[in-house]
Amino acid sequence: MTLNLCILTPNRIVLDSEVKEIILSTNSGQIGVLPNHAPIATAIDTGILRIRLNDQWLTIALMGGFARMDNNEITILVNDAEKGSDIDPQEVQQALEIAEANLRKAEGKIQIIEANLALRQARTRVEAINAIS
Amino acid sequence: MAMAMAALRREGRRFAPMISPRPITALRSSPLAPSLEDECPIGVRYISTQVVRNRMKSVKNIQKITKAMKMVAASKLRAIQTKAENSRGLWQPFTALLGDLPSANVKKNVVVTISSDKGLCGGINSTSVKISKGLHKLNSGPEKETKYVILGEKAKAQLVRDSKKDIELIITELQKNPLNYTQVSVLADEILKNVEYDALRIVFNKFHSVVSFVPTVSTVLSPEIVEREAESGGKLGDLDSYEVEGGETKGEILQNLAEFQFSCVMFNAVLENACSEQGARMSAMDSSSRNAGDMLDRLTLTYNRTRQASITTELIEIISGASALEG
């Protein structure tokens, strides 16, 4: 029994394949989904998604969205998604440092919120790389 | 003899400015030559070829311009088409989950009309405006009301004339920077914040192929209405069977879901409309350059006829002058 997983972003389809199990992080914690799960509709926070196909775990960094599971079909709609294997470690380290610097410099509510968001996204991507290795 | 010819030529030039050029938009089946001769006062045997040559030059320029515009539109279309196709997969899960209910009976309707900023793109903007007006009429009554949110100059020009009081928000110059999701989601946010709505109906032209653009309406319902429809059963009845996680209350999730749905549907709608605009402009420019080519052919025939007539007249003058000298 496998799950048909489909990850969509506004710009492209990131993943469309069959997997054995997924672990995704929602606003209220992480949930693991195995085949024949009850139908759910959840909101996803900025975080990593772990997929297991054939005893191998893949990580994908997701930037917030929704997931829906029905009859072994999972559809994940997010603002942006990056596969762990596609992320360049040095570039992400730099992005993380820049995001942290921006947060320290930020003034005004809007800038602080934006800087926080960028920081979380950078952290997620770093986690995605670390999780595979 | 030489003076006679020079005098004729001068006369032709003197009378030339009196012939006013006809507007190019009118395509007549009768040849141009007789009508031009009618306008000349009697005494001038032919009109100057200069007039016809000027017209030919301007028609040729128009043909070149429209041909260039067609190619520009074709290249822009190619760029946007891939984006639009990629974004199509995005709103389908929403429709599968929440359904697209154009028949939902709600009190506050908001019609979001998407149109282009530039003209010369065929009839797509007029069809969008017609449908928006139709929706407005359909949904105005004792308890219901409809408001407009307008994207694009062309719809603004047409709707401001008769529905000024119903317009909530006008947004133009969308395509200044290449379209991307962040920009559209900010826009969607603006609309959601400033406009009260029970149902949002987005009117745009869906791009089926380079020659076919179908005006479509996508409906996004507000969370309260979704709840109401879910309870009454029907398509949305399955919604309750889903366990909803990831937040404190189901209502909060549905609210977020509705906002996300709106921004995804808007993104797709804006991209499809942009594709339709470029496609319509391509076909409009194509037909106008073809028309210009036809007109150029007819003008060439007229030009040749007038040129030959003037040569014949000169020859006759020479010969009659010569025979008058001899005899």
Side-chain angles (χ1 to χ4, degrees), chain B residues 217-290:
Chain B
V217 181
S218 295
T219 319
V220 174
L221 301 169
S222 78
E224 296 95 29
I225 304 291
V226 169
E227 286 272 3
R228 191 184 79 186
E229 297 283 332
E231 280 161 27
S232 61
K235 235 177 145 197
L236 289 185
D238 299 332
L239 188 60
D240 276 339
S241 66
Y242 282 82
E243 240 180 75
V244 177
E245 304 186 20
E248 275 98 40
T249 58
K250 184 175 175 190
E252 185 192 330
I253 304 280
L254 279 184
Q255 171 89 349
N256 281 339
L257 196 61
E259 289 177 12
F260 195 40
Q261 180 190 15
F262 180 51
S263 72
C264 288
V265 176
M266 271 281 285
F267 184 58
N268 183 53
V270 170
L271 280 177
E272 301 255 356
N273 203 55
C275 280
S276 306
E277 175 196 340
Q278 300 297 342
R281 188 167 295 140
M282 241 179 84
S283 67
M285 292 295 108
D286 184 41
S287 55
S288 78
S289 46
R290 223 175 307 134

